């Protein structure tokens, strides 16, 4: 696996690979890799000739009071893990390499960013879309592998790619979980023992909600109320619980088609998100 830290070398490398007609799989991450990230690399490995992972904690997607400074980082360990999962190139630029000048042109996401994390983290998806648009120009991948854990991010970037006629296919990958059911996340590092005991309830209650839909419940309000009550014992602040169509992210009066049940909770040192996507056949 080769480490690349400059935009020019990454662009040059991708250009050569494209000329050689290699199918490039790309896995953009913010590092502090875990089994979720490694699953994306392994999927890319199965389907592509070349696998490129990027590790870049993107300042543009963090709000002023968010955890940009304390976001966990360990690029050396990340390189070992990425290599063991089969990556060919590890692109890890610095902030000044990615943003040598103030960005005077940025992406603006509308509608899809008005709900869920977008409503709570204003500007977040503009920052995500901006860095991913840059990365897509630098790497020129055929496929981009993304976790459904960040389902709104998948919807936003899929739409950005459509809107801008980018020649990259988004490949969504299922959420990788701890044995407890807790969705793997770099931020789990900041959970205390007690919080690690509590956090698996998020997926437990999402599964119960999914089951109630499969059993015929169609009231959005009833399901939201149920989830809220189940989460009351948590020592965390509920940021949102929502049910929307997926991937359009619209409120449905009657639940139908493909929907997402998504939630976010804030423990004192880590904000966690989770979701389930349900196909309602009728
Ligand atoms: P991040 O480093 O958190 O920005 O995540 C990089 C990519 O890994 C994103 O596409 C995430 O959705 C994906 N990812 C993060 N956690 C998981 C997980 N538990 N299962 C599957 N994919 C994940």
């Amino acid at each position: 696996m080769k480490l690349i830290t400059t935009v020019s070398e990454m662009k040059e490398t991708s250009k050569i690979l494209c000329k050689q007609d290699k199918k490039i799989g790309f896995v953009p991450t913010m590092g502090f890799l875990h089994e979720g990230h490694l699953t994306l690399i392994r999927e890319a490995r199965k389907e592509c000739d070349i696998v490129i992972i990027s590790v870049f904690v993107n300042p543009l997607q963090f709000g002023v009071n968010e955890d940009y400074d304390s976001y966990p980082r360990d690029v050396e360990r990340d390189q070992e893990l990425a290599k063991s999962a089969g990556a060919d190139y590890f692109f890890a630029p610095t902030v000044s390499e990615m943003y040598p000048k103030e960005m005077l042109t940025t992406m603006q996401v509308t509608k899809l960013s008005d709900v869920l994390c977008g409503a709570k983290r204003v500007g977040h998806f503009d920052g995500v879309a901006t860095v991913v648009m840059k990365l897509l120009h630098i790497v020129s991948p055929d496929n981009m592998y993304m976790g459904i854990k960040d389902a709104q991010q998948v919807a936003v970037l899929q739409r950005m790619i459509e809107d801008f006629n980018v020649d990259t296919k988004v490949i969504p990958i299922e959420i990788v979980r701890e044995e407890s059911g807790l969705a793997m996340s770099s931020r789990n590092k900041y959970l205390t023992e007690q919080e690690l005991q509590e956090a698996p309830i998020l997926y437990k209650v999402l599964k119960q909600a999914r089951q109630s839909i499969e059993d015929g419940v169609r009231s959005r309000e009833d399901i939201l109320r149920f989830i809220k009550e189940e989460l009351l014992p948590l020592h965390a602040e509920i940021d949102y619980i929502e049910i929307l169509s997926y991937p359009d992210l619209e409120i449905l009066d009657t639940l139908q088609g493909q929907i997402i049940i998504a939630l976010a909770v804030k423990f004192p040192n880590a904000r966690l998100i989770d979701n389930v996507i349900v196909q309602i056949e009728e």
Side-chain angles (χ1 to χ4, degrees), residues 181-196:
L182 175 63
M184 288 193 184
S185 164
S186 306
R187 290 184 169 100
N188 290 352
K189 169 186 160 67
Y190 290 123
L191 296 176
T192 64
E193 269 308 312
Q194 192 201 328
E195 290 163 353
L196 278 169

Side-chain angles (χ1 to χ4, degrees), residues 60 99-107 130 134:
L60 291 195
Y99 302 118
K101 296 178 183 174
E102 178 190 357
M103 288 289 279
L104 300 184
T105 317
T106 57
M107 303 298 292
T130 300
K134 262 173 95 75

